[in-house]
Amino acid sequence: MQCSNSLRPSIPEMTQTIRTLSEHLCFGGVQRFCEHDSREIGLTMRFSVFLPPQVAQGPVPAVMYLAGLTCNEETFMVKAGSQRLAAELGLALIAPDTSPRGANVAGEADSWDFGVGAGFYLDATQAPWAKHWRMESYLLKELLPLLGAQLPIDTQRLGIFGHSMGGHGALTLALRHPGRFKSLSAFAPICAPTQCPWGRKAFSGYLGADESNWASHDATALMDAMPDAPYPGGILIDQGLADKFLAEQLHPHLFEAACASVGQPLTLRRHAGYDHGYYFIASFMADHLNHHARRLSE
């Protein structure tokens, strides 16, 4: 589907670097699904982006969403119900894939919580993963600058959020790169990956057996080490109490304690009856988009 004439002049066509796989008008804006050849990953990577109608007046703030285990660049845009409010608020939405694909590394698809669909938003240091599993460098050094250069996105007004493994990614990337993201939130994040089976499996494989290297990718450990509150405007986290992964994998109470220890304002909302899936995410999406819109307008 083609863009309307009113949007087309203000939304530059992708150069040959980025290939548009599909494009759809959506709430007056444009939903795109794209791919490009990544120098950081060394493979073709896919992402999706929603541009609100306000791009007709100039660059807009953006929020990057990091999806969870087994998901891809389509999951958020299809399931979360985010575009209507994003169009009203004038927010661009960015959703990258969750890992490299097509590397043909032995064992990459043997389990659902490691390898393909499970990049954990870090740069692996261990063979054979180190060559392609470079999600942190890909997002920060390549994808965001690329989109800022080619789309009407204000890269000085960026927020980040995510779900589960992607919630871990949002928290850790925001804390590891002070000032890069002006707003931060998460849905059911893996808050202390060094203390849960998902995280220990991923970190052992990607970072090696030396656990001293793991803390720099653990949101709770990172927050504990902060000299003061990195987000004085507050962090928002929503957690369902019927989430089957809550007790063993997520540990929001540990991140809550770390925030309290450094004076970081945190709104951690616990919701009876809600599980780990996208019905939960869609139920509270508006609160998260409004949270980011407020911070990005300051």
Side-chain angles (χ1 to χ4, degrees):
M1 182 180 292
Q2 297 298 309
C3 296
S4 67
N5 289 334
S6 63
L7 284 175
R8 179 66 71 183
S10 296
I11 303 177
E13 288 295 324
M14 300 293 190
T15 70
Q16 292 184 350
T17 303
I18 296 178
R19 299 180 289 276
T20 300
L21 302 176
S22 66
E23 179 177 285
H24 316 273
L25 289 181
C26 184
F27 298 109
V30 178
Q31 175 66 59
R32 282 178 174 166
F33 296 93
C34 307
E35 69 178 14
H36 72 113
D37 298 325
S38 167
R39 66 173 185 273
E40 290 289 344
I41 300 295
L43 299 164
T44 297
M45 292 294 291
R46 291 190 173 188
F47 67 91
S48 59
V49 60
F50 172 74
L51 298 172
Q54 289 84 349
V55 297
Q57 283 76 54
V60 297
V63 187
M64 182 166 66
Y65 176 89
L66 305 181
L69 293 165
T70 76
C71 295
N72 60 29
E73 77 287 350
E74 296 181 340
T75 310
F76 171 74
M77 297 299 186
V78 173
K79 292 184 174 183
S82 58
Q83 291 95 335
R84 181 192 294 273
L85 184 55
E88 295 176 8
L89 296 172
L91 287 176
L93 303 173
I94 302 163
D97 203 348
T98 52
S99 78
R101 297 180 193 267
N104 297 317
V105 172
E108 67 177 16
D110 287 355
S111 55
W112 65 275
D113 55 358
F114 183 82
V116 173
F120 272 81
Y121 304 104
L122 50 75
D123 289 353
T125 60
Q126 302 299 300
W129 312 103
K131 181 177 180 181
H132 298 296
W133 264 253
R134 296 177 46 78
M135 291 298 293
E136 181 172 9
S137 289
Y138 168 64
L139 295 175
L140 277 294
K141 297 179 181 179
E142 185 172 11
L143 182 62
L144 288 175
L146 184 64
L147 297 184
Q150 297 191 19
L151 292 176
I153 290 173
D154 182 354
T155 56
Q156 299 305 306
R157 292 187 292 162
L158 291 175
I160 189 169
F161 67 153
H163 169 234
S164 194
M165 176 188 71
H168 144 77
L171 295 175
T172 56
L173 293 182
L175 296 177
R176 283 171 57 81
H177 300 274
R180 188 67 182 271
F181 301 100
K182 293 184 176 298
S183 56
L184 173 61
S185 72
F187 295 93
I190 304 172
C191 289
T194 60
Q195 301 182 57
C196 76
W198 280 342
R200 294 187 65 81
K201 179 176 181 178
F203 288 1
S204 295
Y206 295 141
L207 302 177
D210 183 356
E211 297 187 18
S212 66
N213 297 323
W214 297 3
S216 61
H217 296 280
D218 182 303
T220 295
L222 286 167
M223 184 62 77
D224 253 332
M226 290 287 164
D228 49 32
Y231 284 89
I235 298 170
L236 172 63
I237 293 179
D238 279 301
Q239 175 63 60
L241 293 179
D243 187 327
K244 66 181 180 181
F245 302 115
L246 175 56
E248 185 178 24
Q249 304 282 11
L250 304 180
H251 302 317
H253 64 288
L254 298 179
F255 187 71
E256 184 178 37
C259 286
S261 72
V262 300
Q264 169 61 54
L266 171 68
T267 300
L268 172 55
R269 306 190 301 185
R270 297 171 169 90
H271 304 279
Y274 283 91
D275 62 20
H276 196 69
Y278 270 80
Y279 294 113
F280 157 64
I281 293 171
S283 297
F284 302 102
M285 179 55 58
D287 294 337
H288 284 250
L289 293 181
N290 280 309
H291 167 81
H292 288 279
R294 286 192 296 271
R295 300 282 83 81
L296 297 176
S297 66
E298 294 174 348

